């Protein structure tokens, strides 16, 4: 699956571990996110799914859903260049392409309290830099792995 997304498998494993500890039925009590990459209810609704349906999928079916989801995010926003961008693809895809000072959540906004542990420097906002620091600290090996360069027909097509 990682090959079809043109990312290292370590990135995929890092995101799934970070979000669900590989538990396909994991559910976040604060925001209702569920599954291997913790889809938020509004994202599931957009995909025509419910949290209950996702929780009841087999691991293999959830992995196929993860693949489909990431393919759509990549198409809608941009290819993933590093682990931080791949994580953002699951956590906050709207931030893809923004610079490191971009704030995902600010202290006075909805969501900050839920994700306040991501505010690495405790400045009252969660930025892409905060996410990057978390990825580097939690997954140093995966963080250093570069995205595979396409070869053959993929290179010719610009994938």
């Amino acid at each position: 699956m990682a090959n079809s997304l043109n990312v290292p498998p370590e990135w995929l494993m890092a995101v799934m571990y970070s979000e669900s500890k590989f538990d396909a039925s994991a559910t976040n009590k604060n925001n209702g996110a569920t599954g291997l990459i913790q889809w938020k209810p509004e994202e599931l609704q957009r995909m025509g799914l419910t949290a209950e349906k996702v929780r009841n999928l087999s691991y293999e079916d959830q992995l196929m859903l993860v693949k489909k989801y990431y393919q759509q995010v990549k198409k809608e926003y941009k290819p993933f260049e590093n682990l931080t961008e791949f994580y953002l693809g699951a956590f906050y895809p709207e931030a893809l392409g923004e610079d490191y000072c971009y704030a995902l959540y600010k202290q006075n906004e909805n969501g900050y309290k839920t994700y306040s542990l991501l505010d690495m420097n405790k400045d009252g906002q969660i930025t892409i830099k905060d996410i990057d620091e978390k990825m580097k600290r939690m997954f140093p090996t995966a963080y250093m792995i570069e995205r595979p360069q396409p070869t053959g027909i993929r290179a010719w097509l610009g994938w």
Side-chain angles (χ1 to χ4, degrees):
M1 182 193 340
N3 286 341
S4 69
L5 294 171
N6 196 36
V7 299
E10 293 86 351
W11 292 5
L12 185 59
M13 300 300 279
V15 170
M16 289 189 300
Y17 180 81
S18 177
E19 291 300 298
S20 69
K21 306 290 187 275
F22 304 117
D23 180 357
S25 64
T27 301
N28 184 315
K29 292 177 178 95
N30 292 322
N31 66 2
T34 193
L36 288 171
I37 63 170
Q38 293 291 284
W39 288 284
K40 295 173 187 142
E42 56 272 13
E43 186 60 40
L44 290 175
Q45 184 177 15
R46 194 176 91 151
M47 295 188 302
L49 297 167
T50 64
E52 181 179 353
K53 178 155 178 114
V54 169
R55 277 192 300 274
N56 290 322
L57 291 174
S58 68
Y59 278 90
E60 292 82 10
D61 288 343
Q62 263 207 48
L63 284 171
M64 294 309 295
L65 188 60
V66 167
K67 177 181 171 183
K68 181 179 177 183
Y69 171 79
Y70 267 115
Q71 286 172 331
Q72 183 59 41
V73 169
K74 183 174 147 179
K75 181 179 176 183
E76 190 172 334
Y77 294 97
K78 67 186 271 320
F80 309 105
E81 298 296 327
N82 54 53
L83 174 58
T84 300
E85 287 185 356
F86 195 66
Y87 180 79
L88 285 171
F91 180 68
Y92 200 105
E94 298 83 4
L96 288 168
E98 299 291 343
D99 65 29
Y100 273 33
C101 64
Y102 179 83
L104 287 62
Y105 298 100
K106 294 182 180 179
Q107 199 164 17
N108 60 346
E109 297 174 348
N110 289 338
Y112 180 85
K113 185 176 179 182
T114 300
Y115 304 113
S116 61
L117 290 175
L118 296 174
D119 185 359
M120 302 303 281
N121 61 2
K122 307 298 181 214
D123 66 350
Q125 59 183 0
I126 300 165
T127 63
I128 293 174
K129 183 172 179 16
D130 289 318
I131 301 297
D132 187 67
E133 287 177 14
K134 176 189 176 191
M135 293 294 104
K136 186 176 185 177
R137 181 179 46 83
M138 286 184 67
F139 308 105
T141 302
Y143 183 87
M144 297 303 294
I145 297 173
E146 294 183 8
R147 181 176 61 91
Q149 295 304 312
T151 59
I153 190 71
R154 288 177 177 259
W156 185 74
L157 292 172
W159 295 355

